[in-house]
Amino acid sequence: MSVPILKQGDYLIASVQSELSDADLLKLRDDLVSRVGEFRSRGVIVDVTILDVMDSFATRTLRSMAHMIMLRGAKTVIVGIQPEVAFSMVQLGLKLESVATALDLEEGLALLDSQTKGDTRRG
Amino acid sequence: MAEENCIPINSEIDIVTARQKGRAMAAQLGFSSTELTLIATAISEIARNIVEYAREGEISLSIAHEGDKQGIVVMGCDNGPGIPDIKLAMQDGYSTGKSLGLGLPGAKRLMDEFEIVSEVGRGTKVTMKKWVQNHAR
Amino acid sequence: MKKEKTNEQANKSSAELRQELVDHFREKRELLRQQWVQHMTAKGLLAGLTREDIETESITIYDTCIVCLETGEYDGARTYAMRMAERGVLRGMSTEQIIGGLLTLRDVYGRSLFERYQHDMERLSSALDIYEPVANKILSIVALAFVAEREKIVRQQQEAIRELSTPVLQVRDQMLILPIIGVIDTHRARQLTEQLLRTIRTSRAKVVVIDITGVPGVDSKVANHLVQTVDASQLMGATVIVTGISPEIAQTLVTLGVDLTKMNTVGDLQGGIEEADHLLGYRVVREEPGNGFIHNKKV
Ligand SMILES: Nc1ncnc2c1ncn2[C@@H]1O[C@H](COP(=O)(O)OP(=O)(O)OP(=O)(O)O)[C@@H](O)[C@H]1O
Ligand SMILES: [Mg+2]
């Protein structure tokens, strides 16, 4: 099942609606990376509240996605990682490294606002 | 409750099926929600390795009894290329697939018991167990 | 050949006899049940139970036992025993009351068999062969159910005590404090982490101060747990500040190769809370010197 991507002002919001297969994840990554350019977005939020598993593949894909988005000039925030999932990820040894995280959509938006505030590249 | 459950792994879609079935079986055994996530994640890693390195194989789920302990057994089997150096493959960060190299060592950390046998040219078999915590230790 | 035939006959007559016993107990149900209740009352086994309870429970138990005898299936008995154990333990019924009650029923059933077959010793003995294993099995099912229930309660209490010994405190909006006191082993570390992560979610915390002043020693395992807790909290969007790292612990951590630079550390709890305030955008304002109150204002 593919993930709907919403445009909200300067940001793109992708809310995962069901468990994702590898192909779904790769498609999400590619869609987001191309839309960021298309809409000249400054921030991307990926809401993973629904996911009850984040394995090495998912983590690697989200990480590389954030990296690509950064190269295209936008910031990424992953929001909604569940307590159990966070626990499982660290046990597995997974890290999101430099990718920003927030509790939920609301906090994610606040984080993007604070980070892109004063960002005057478009004057 | 089915005592044994076998999921053929032929494509990445089957990875999702395998971990969902594993979670459902573990839930019936009374694992906590955190443990369910640990089990599902471990299954995901082993199933993905099958798809990635052996193309096809299967995951079988069963219930283990030992004394008054109960647990889930997850077995991943394939007839793929096998692993030449298991010790190396079990190290954090070792990957021949340009990945993170966390699947095998990570799955071992998520479960209570972990065993891997592999023969080059014949295949790989991973057996993992997790016991339902009897909270009074 | 011949032997098989006798076996078959024996089986048949045993099934017949079993049905005869079932019919007998059903027929005498009211009489025997009354006797049973009277005996239990005399022995003081029904203390604390209402009349209604006694009526309904005794009927159910009586009938359940007969079903076991009739079908050889004990699932009903097991379920009922579990329910009874749950309620019984809650009401503080003693094991003596429960087991005593069942032993009494066993005697009532037994006596009525003696009465019925007193002139046919052989049939009596066959009847007891059928009846006794069933009675024993029911007793063991009930006893086990009660033991299991007791153990469950003890477990729950231990769990509760453990939770209490590691409180996650919410000091203000979006800030949690986790003062860890005592030895941390793998099990406890897991519990701490799980509890902290859940609280981060429910209280929408953004900063967590973990104070380890009360932890006697840190080895590589504990250090790893600490790092994992910090990382997991971060995945949920919370920043962790670790306070109370004694010089000895600092030294151990460095020797172990734990990268402290990745961890947000502050000397003591007070400093940690101030740092957390700062991160949350509060400004600490001391009013009137000597008045001692600290006010927090969102900047
Ligand atoms: N079923 C298998 N058949 C053949 N080789 C395998 C199999 N499973 C694992 N391996 C080998 O072991 C190595 C380590 O596996 P592991 O799952 O730990 O890491 P990875 O798959 O490379 O990366 P990650 O799982 O973190 O994405 C793999 O790179 C691969 O060479
Ligand atoms: Mg792998």
Side-chain angles (χ1 to χ4, degrees):
Chain A
M1 203 176 131
S2 71
V3 181
I5 299 172
L6 268 160
K7 180 177 178 300
Q8 186 174 325
D10 277 346
Y11 307 143
L12 292 179
I13 300 171
S15 323
V16 178
Q17 308 284 332
S18 68
E19 243 197 294
L20 296 180
S21 70
D22 297 3
D24 299 334
L25 256 168
L26 292 174
K27 181 164 183 304
L28 172 65
R29 182 190 71 187
D30 297 347
D31 285 355
L32 276 175
V33 172
S34 69
R35 299 267 174 96
V36 163
E38 208 176 299
F39 297 121
R40 306 192 66 213
S41 306
R42 307 167 86 185
V44 172
I45 293 183
V46 181
D47 187 347
V48 296
T49 307
I50 199 100
L51 291 188
D52 55 13
V53 169
M54 282 263 263
D55 61 4
S56 61
F57 183 85
T59 307
R60 188 157 50 95
T61 311
L62 289 178
R63 231 155 71 177
S64 69
M65 180 191 76
H67 206 129
M68 292 178 200
I69 289 173
M70 192 184 73
L71 292 175
R72 309 206 66 176
K75 296 205 162 68
T76 304
V77 186
I78 311 284
V79 306
I81 296 179
Q82 294 299 314
E84 294 86 1
V85 175
F87 186 73
S88 177
M89 285 174 75
V90 298
Q91 291 269 305
L92 200 69
L94 295 170
K95 292 202 177 97
L96 280 171
E97 303 292 348
S98 51
V99 185
T101 47
L103 191 72
D104 55 19
L105 192 57
E106 193 187 327
E107 293 292 339
L109 284 168
L111 185 67
L112 278 182
D113 279 346
S114 73
Q115 288 191 345
T116 53
K117 192 171 55 183
D119 180 352
T120 52
R121 75 202 145 111
R122 259 170 257 170
Chain B
M1 191 190 320
E3 283 277 323
E4 171 132 9
N5 210 332
C6 196
I7 304 115
I9 305 292
N10 299 312
S11 80
E12 45 109 1
I13 306 280
D14 302 325
I15 301 173
V16 177
T17 315
R19 68 183 184 222
Q20 280 173 345
K21 289 206 169 151
R23 176 186 285 269
M25 184 185 243
Q28 288 197 344
L29 286 170
F31 282 100
S32 75
S33 72
T34 303
E35 290 166 327
L36 295 181
T37 303
L38 301 182
I39 293 166
T41 310
I43 295 176
S44 197
E45 293 299 333
I46 299 311
R48 170 155 295 101
N49 281 353
I50 293 177
V51 175
E52 196 102 335
Y53 304 109
R55 293 190 163 270
E56 56 179 34
E58 61 181 42
I59 295 277
S60 66
L61 305 166
S62 54
I63 296 169
H65 302 270
E66 201 178 285
D68 57 357
K69 280 197 303 185
Q70 252 200 349
I72 187 167
V73 187
V74 179
M75 218 160 66
C77 289
D78 65 64
N79 299 318
I83 302 173
D85 188 341
I86 290 189
K87 218 170 147 203
L88 204 55
M90 287 303 295
Q91 271 174 21
D92 273 351
Y94 175 82
S95 171
T96 60
K98 289 206 197 116
S99 191
L100 306 173
L102 287 173
L104 291 178
K108 182 176 175 176
R109 283 191 288 269
L110 299 181
M111 302 292 282
D112 291 337
E113 289 174 32
F114 185 98
E115 199 187 272
I116 177 166
V117 280
S118 186
E119 203 179 316
V120 174
R122 305 212 73 168
T124 304
K125 182 167 147 184
V126 176
T127 312
M128 314 184 281
K129 283 184 200 162
K130 196 169 190 74
W131 301 104
V132 180
Q133 283 303 308
N134 197 347
H135 293 282
R137 284 179 314 145
Chain C
M1 234 19 231
K2 200 171 167 208
K3 198 164 180 203
E4 261 174 36
K5 190 132 192 220
T6 30
N7 261 345
E8 222 171 75
Q9 271 171 351
N11 279 343
K12 191 165 162 238
S13 67
S14 140
E16 265 166 23
L17 180 55
R18 182 181 291 266
Q19 194 53 51
E20 193 175 299
L21 298 186
V22 169
D23 293 342
H24 167 77
F25 289 136
R26 288 231 164 97
E27 214 169 278
K28 300 259 155 115
R29 181 185 192 232
E30 255 334 277
L31 182 75
L32 295 181
R33 192 178 64 81
Q34 296 292 356
Q35 273 180 16
W36 176 37
V37 172
Q38 274 164 22
H39 285 302
M40 285 196 291
T41 315
K43 290 180 189 162
L45 294 173
L46 298 179
L49 295 178
T50 66
R51 253 209 113 66
E52 266 170 40
D53 275 353
I54 295 172
E55 278 295 296
T56 45
E57 301 291 313
S58 65
I59 290 174
T60 318
I61 296 174
Y62 190 99
D63 292 346
T64 308
C65 292
I66 295 176
V67 170
C68 293
L69 177 65
E70 187 172 26
T71 60
E73 297 269 344
Y74 293 88
D75 286 351
R78 248 177 231 118
T79 317
Y80 184 72
M82 250 150 61
R83 271 212 337 257
M84 191 164 72
E86 255 173 50
R87 282 172 304 156
V89 171
L90 283 183
R91 279 206 221 112
M93 266 168 102
S94 67
T95 317
E96 196 197 345
Q97 270 178 302
I98 305 302
I99 304 297
L102 276 161
L103 284 169
T104 313
L105 178 59
R106 190 191 135 108
D107 292 347
V108 169
Y109 281 143
R111 265 163 208 269
S112 89
L113 290 183
F114 274 110
E115 224 165 84
R116 177 172 177 138
Y117 297 113
Q118 55 188 323
H119 303 301
D120 185 349
M121 274 306 160
E122 207 170 304
R123 201 148 175 85
L124 175 62
S125 149
S126 310
L128 289 178
D129 281 347
I130 293 172
Y131 160 74
E132 277 173 345
V134 177
N136 290 341
K137 176 117 194 184
I138 291 173
L139 265 170
S140 87
I141 285 173
V142 173
L144 282 177
F146 269 79
V147 171
E149 185 62 28
R150 287 261 152 78
E151 279 173 355
K152 191 170 112 195
I153 286 187
V154 170
R155 268 205 303 276
Q156 282 166 352
Q157 285 168 345
Q158 281 176 341
E159 196 70 12
I161 290 170
R162 220 173 273 140
E163 296 245 319
L164 275 179
S165 64
T166 52
V168 181
L169 312 167
Q170 174 157 22
V171 270
R172 38 182 153 277
D173 205 26
Q174 301 191 310
M175 191 199 299
L176 298 177
I177 297 183
L178 176 67
I180 307 179
I181 296 163
V183 184
I184 310 178
D185 60 10
T186 303
H187 183 74
R188 182 151 179 245
R190 271 191 165 207
Q191 237 168 4
L192 275 173
T193 310
E194 282 189 54
Q195 201 190 336
L196 176 63
L197 296 178
R198 274 197 298 266
T199 317
I200 288 177
R201 172 106 234 155
T202 50
S203 66
R204 306 176 53 82
K206 271 175 120 167
V207 186
V208 178
V209 184
I210 300 182
D211 182 56
I212 61 167
T213 313
V215 178
V218 172
D219 57 11
S220 65
K221 259 197 175 155
V222 174
N224 263 329
H225 288 311
L226 201 59
V227 173
Q228 283 186 349
T229 311
V230 172
D231 287 346
S233 307
Q234 234 143 37
L235 286 174
M236 295 188 60
T239 308
V240 180
I241 299 166
V242 182
T243 64
I245 301 183
S246 65
E248 296 81 39
I249 290 183
Q251 205 164 28
T252 324
L253 290 178
V254 173
T255 320
L256 290 169
V258 175
D259 192 355
L260 285 174
T261 54
K262 277 205 231 145
M263 243 194 258
N264 228 326
T265 56
V266 175
D268 61 2
L269 185 56
Q270 184 56 43
I273 294 175
E274 278 166 20
E275 173 71 18
D277 275 337
H278 178 73
L279 286 175
L280 285 171
Y282 286 109
R283 193 164 40 126
V284 180
V285 186
R286 266 175 221 280
E287 271 186 12
E288 310 289 289
N291 137 346
F293 284 114
I294 296 175
H295 294 270
N296 294 287
K297 283 196 183 142
K298 196 118 185 174
V299 179

PDB file of all heavy atoms in Angstrom, chain C residues 76-93:
ATOM      1  N   GLY C  76     -14.398 -27.973  31.708  1.00  0.00           N
ATOM      2  CA  GLY C  76     -15.365 -27.195  32.476  1.00  0.00           C
ATOM      3  C   GLY C  76     -14.900 -27.022  33.906  1.00  0.00           C
ATOM      4  O   GLY C  76     -14.942 -25.925  34.464  1.00  0.00           O
ATOM      5  N   ALA C  77     -14.414 -28.130  34.482  1.00  0.00           N
ATOM      6  CA  ALA C  77     -13.940 -28.086  35.868  1.00  0.00           C
ATOM      7  C   ALA C  77     -12.761 -27.130  35.988  1.00  0.00           C
ATOM      8  O   ALA C  77     -12.665 -26.345  36.938  1.00  0.00           O
ATOM      9  CB  ALA C  77     -13.534 -29.480  36.325  1.00  0.00           C
ATOM     10  N   ARG C  78     -11.864 -27.185  35.009  1.00  0.00           N
ATOM     11  CA  ARG C  78     -10.683 -26.323  35.039  1.00  0.00           C
ATOM     12  C   ARG C  78     -11.086 -24.849  35.006  1.00  0.00           C
ATOM     13  O   ARG C  78     -10.613 -24.051  35.814  1.00  0.00           O
ATOM     14  CB  ARG C  78      -9.813 -26.644  33.822  1.00  0.00           C
ATOM     15  CG  ARG C  78      -8.511 -27.284  34.239  1.00  0.00           C
ATOM     16  CD  ARG C  78      -7.657 -27.670  33.071  1.00  0.00           C
ATOM     17  NE  ARG C  78      -7.257 -29.055  33.232  1.00  0.00           N
ATOM     18  CZ  ARG C  78      -7.564 -30.027  32.401  1.00  0.00           C
ATOM     19  NH1 ARG C  78      -8.251 -29.777  31.326  1.00  0.00           N
ATOM     20  NH2 ARG C  78      -7.167 -31.262  32.660  1.00  0.00           N
ATOM     21  N   THR C  79     -11.965 -24.515  34.062  1.00  0.00           N
ATOM     22  CA  THR C  79     -12.399 -23.124  33.944  1.00  0.00           C
ATOM     23  C   THR C  79     -13.071 -22.665  35.225  1.00  0.00           C
ATOM     24  O   THR C  79     -12.776 -21.591  35.750  1.00  0.00           O
ATOM     25  CB  THR C  79     -13.424 -22.979  32.797  1.00  0.00           C
ATOM     26  OG1 THR C  79     -12.940 -23.744  31.696  1.00  0.00           O
ATOM     27  CG2 THR C  79     -13.594 -21.553  32.395  1.00  0.00           C
ATOM     28  N   TYR C  80     -13.946 -23.524  35.737  1.00  0.00           N
ATOM     29  CA  TYR C  80     -14.663 -23.147  36.948  1.00  0.00           C
ATOM     30  C   TYR C  80     -13.699 -22.991  38.124  1.00  0.00           C
ATOM     31  O   TYR C  80     -13.799 -22.037  38.898  1.00  0.00           O
ATOM     32  CB  TYR C  80     -15.736 -24.187  37.272  1.00  0.00           C
ATOM     33  CG  TYR C  80     -16.555 -23.784  38.465  1.00  0.00           C
ATOM     34  CD1 TYR C  80     -17.472 -22.747  38.377  1.00  0.00           C
ATOM     35  CD2 TYR C  80     -16.380 -24.424  39.691  1.00  0.00           C
ATOM     36  CE1 TYR C  80     -18.185 -22.347  39.476  1.00  0.00           C
ATOM     37  CE2 TYR C  80     -17.097 -24.028  40.796  1.00  0.00           C
ATOM     38  CZ  TYR C  80     -18.003 -22.993  40.693  1.00  0.00           C
ATOM     39  OH  TYR C  80     -18.712 -22.603  41.787  1.00  0.00           O
ATOM     40  N   ALA C  81     -12.750 -23.939  38.223  1.00  0.00           N
ATOM     41  CA  ALA C  81     -11.776 -23.871  39.324  1.00  0.00           C
ATOM     42  C   ALA C  81     -10.971 -22.579  39.247  1.00  0.00           C
ATOM     43  O   ALA C  81     -10.704 -21.936  40.266  1.00  0.00           O
ATOM     44  CB  ALA C  81     -10.842 -25.072  39.272  1.00  0.00           C
ATOM     45  N   MET C  82     -10.602 -22.182  38.037  1.00  0.00           N
ATOM     46  CA  MET C  82      -9.837 -20.959  37.883  1.00  0.00           C
ATOM     47  C   MET C  82     -10.647 -19.748  38.341  1.00  0.00           C
ATOM     48  O   MET C  82     -10.134 -18.877  39.035  1.00  0.00           O
ATOM     49  CB  MET C  82      -9.421 -20.781  36.422  1.00  0.00           C
ATOM     50  CG  MET C  82      -7.935 -20.976  36.205  1.00  0.00           C
ATOM     51  SD  MET C  82      -7.604 -21.602  34.551  1.00  0.00           S
ATOM     52  CE  MET C  82      -8.249 -20.292  33.537  1.00  0.00           C
ATOM     53  N   ARG C  83     -11.926 -19.741  37.923  1.00  0.00           N
ATOM     54  CA  ARG C  83     -12.777 -18.618  38.313  1.00  0.00           C
ATOM     55  C   ARG C  83     -12.955 -18.574  39.816  1.00  0.00           C
ATOM     56  O   ARG C  83     -12.875 -17.540  40.460  1.00  0.00           O
ATOM     57  CB  ARG C  83     -14.150 -18.751  37.645  1.00  0.00           C
ATOM     58  CG  ARG C  83     -14.221 -18.111  36.301  1.00  0.00           C
ATOM     59  CD  ARG C  83     -15.617 -17.558  35.982  1.00  0.00           C
ATOM     60  NE  ARG C  83     -16.713 -18.142  36.711  1.00  0.00           N
ATOM     61  CZ  ARG C  83     -17.571 -19.031  36.207  1.00  0.00           C
ATOM     62  NH1 ARG C  83     -17.429 -19.440  34.975  1.00  0.00           N
ATOM     63  NH2 ARG C  83     -18.547 -19.503  36.932  1.00  0.00           N
ATOM     64  N   MET C  84     -13.173 -19.768  40.358  1.00  0.00           N
ATOM     65  CA  MET C  84     -13.396 -19.867  41.798  1.00  0.00           C
ATOM     66  C   MET C  84     -12.143 -19.407  42.540  1.00  0.00           C
ATOM     67  O   MET C  84     -12.225 -18.685  43.529  1.00  0.00           O
ATOM     68  CB  MET C  84     -13.718 -21.321  42.144  1.00  0.00           C
ATOM     69  CG  MET C  84     -14.217 -21.512  43.545  1.00  0.00           C
ATOM     70  SD  MET C  84     -15.015 -23.135  43.711  1.00  0.00           S
ATOM     71  CE  MET C  84     -13.623 -24.221  43.645  1.00  0.00           C
ATOM     72  N   ALA C  85     -10.977 -19.827  42.029  1.00  0.00           N
ATOM     73  CA  ALA C  85      -9.719 -19.444  42.670  1.00  0.00           C
ATOM     74  C   ALA C  85      -9.563 -17.928  42.645  1.00  0.00           C
ATOM     75  O   ALA C  85      -9.205 -17.313  43.652  1.00  0.00           O
ATOM     76  CB  ALA C  85      -8.546 -20.105  41.970  1.00  0.00           C
ATOM     77  N   GLU C  86      -9.867 -17.332  41.511  1.00  0.00           N
ATOM     78  CA  GLU C  86      -9.743 -15.885  41.387  1.00  0.00           C
ATOM     79  C   GLU C  86     -10.582 -15.167  42.439  1.00  0.00           C
ATOM     80  O   GLU C  86     -10.098 -14.312  43.157  1.00  0.00           O
ATOM     81  CB  GLU C  86     -10.234 -15.452  40.007  1.00  0.00           C
ATOM     82  CG  GLU C  86      -9.128 -15.074  39.051  1.00  0.00           C
ATOM     83  CD  GLU C  86      -9.694 -14.823  37.673  1.00  0.00           C
ATOM     84  OE1 GLU C  86     -10.664 -14.059  37.557  1.00  0.00           O
ATOM     85  OE2 GLU C  86      -9.176 -15.439  36.735  1.00  0.00           O
ATOM     86  N   ARG C  87     -11.861 -15.598  42.512  1.00  0.00           N
ATOM     87  CA  ARG C  87     -12.744 -14.932  43.472  1.00  0.00           C
ATOM     88  C   ARG C  87     -12.393 -15.302  44.894  1.00  0.00           C
ATOM     89  O   ARG C  87     -12.381 -14.476  45.783  1.00  0.00           O
ATOM     90  CB  ARG C  87     -14.204 -15.298  43.177  1.00  0.00           C
ATOM     91  CG  ARG C  87     -14.768 -14.526  42.010  1.00  0.00           C
ATOM     92  CD  ARG C  87     -16.118 -15.055  41.662  1.00  0.00           C
ATOM     93  NE  ARG C  87     -16.049 -16.484  41.403  1.00  0.00           N
ATOM     94  CZ  ARG C  87     -17.070 -17.317  41.524  1.00  0.00           C
ATOM     95  NH1 ARG C  87     -18.227 -16.882  41.935  1.00  0.00           N
ATOM     96  NH2 ARG C  87     -16.926 -18.591  41.248  1.00  0.00           N
ATOM     97  N   GLY C  88     -12.101 -16.602  45.080  1.00  0.00           N
ATOM     98  CA  GLY C  88     -11.800 -17.104  46.417  1.00  0.00           C
ATOM     99  C   GLY C  88     -10.616 -16.397  47.037  1.00  0.00           C
ATOM    100  O   GLY C  88     -10.675 -15.942  48.178  1.00  0.00           O
ATOM    101  N   VAL C  89      -9.544 -16.263  46.239  1.00  0.00           N
ATOM    102  CA  VAL C  89      -8.357 -15.632  46.770  1.00  0.00           C
ATOM    103  C   VAL C  89      -8.642 -14.172  47.098  1.00  0.00           C
ATOM    104  O   VAL C  89      -8.183 -13.643  48.107  1.00  0.00           O
ATOM    105  CB  VAL C  89      -7.170 -15.777  45.788  1.00  0.00           C
ATOM    106  CG1 VAL C  89      -6.003 -14.939  46.240  1.00  0.00           C
ATOM    107  CG2 VAL C  89      -6.769 -17.234  45.676  1.00  0.00           C
ATOM    108  N   LEU C  90      -9.443 -13.547  46.253  1.00  0.00           N
ATOM    109  CA  LEU C  90      -9.797 -12.156  46.514  1.00  0.00           C
ATOM    110  C   LEU C  90     -10.527 -12.024  47.835  1.00  0.00           C
ATOM    111  O   LEU C  90     -10.276 -11.121  48.623  1.00  0.00           O
ATOM    112  CB  LEU C  90     -10.697 -11.612  45.394  1.00  0.00           C
ATOM    113  CG  LEU C  90      -9.988 -11.238  44.097  1.00  0.00           C
ATOM    114  CD1 LEU C  90     -10.974 -10.654  43.111  1.00  0.00           C
ATOM    115  CD2 LEU C  90      -8.868 -10.244  44.380  1.00  0.00           C
ATOM    116  N   ARG C  91     -11.472 -12.942  48.071  1.00  0.00           N
ATOM    117  CA  ARG C  91     -12.264 -12.858  49.298  1.00  0.00           C
ATOM    118  C   ARG C  91     -11.508 -13.394  50.497  1.00  0.00           C
ATOM    119  O   ARG C  91     -12.038 -13.448  51.587  1.00  0.00           O
ATOM    120  CB  ARG C  91     -13.526 -13.707  49.140  1.00  0.00           C
ATOM    121  CG  ARG C  91     -14.606 -12.992  48.384  1.00  0.00           C
ATOM    122  CD  ARG C  91     -15.945 -13.536  48.799  1.00  0.00           C
ATOM    123  NE  ARG C  91     -16.816 -13.680  47.657  1.00  0.00           N
ATOM    124  CZ  ARG C  91     -17.224 -14.844  47.180  1.00  0.00           C
ATOM    125  NH1 ARG C  91     -16.847 -15.973  47.747  1.00  0.00           N
ATOM    126  NH2 ARG C  91     -18.015 -14.889  46.151  1.00  0.00           N
ATOM    127  N   GLY C  92     -10.285 -13.858  50.245  1.00  0.00           N
ATOM    128  CA  GLY C  92      -9.474 -14.356  51.345  1.00  0.00           C
ATOM    129  C   GLY C  92      -9.923 -15.713  51.855  1.00  0.00           C
ATOM    130  O   GLY C  92      -9.745 -16.050  53.026  1.00  0.00           O
ATOM    131  N   MET C  93     -10.550 -16.512  50.991  1.00  0.00           N
ATOM    132  CA  MET C  93     -10.917 -17.862  51.428  1.00  0.00           C
ATOM    133  C   MET C  93      -9.655 -18.673  51.648  1.00  0.00           C
ATOM    134  O   MET C  93      -8.696 -18.569  50.886  1.00  0.00           O
ATOM    135  CB  MET C  93     -11.751 -18.543  50.341  1.00  0.00           C
ATOM    136  CG  MET C  93     -13.236 -18.382  50.545  1.00  0.00           C
ATOM    137  SD  MET C  93     -14.097 -18.892  49.062  1.00  0.00           S
ATOM    138  CE  MET C  93     -14.641 -20.496  49.561  1.00  0.00           C
TER     139      MET C  93
END
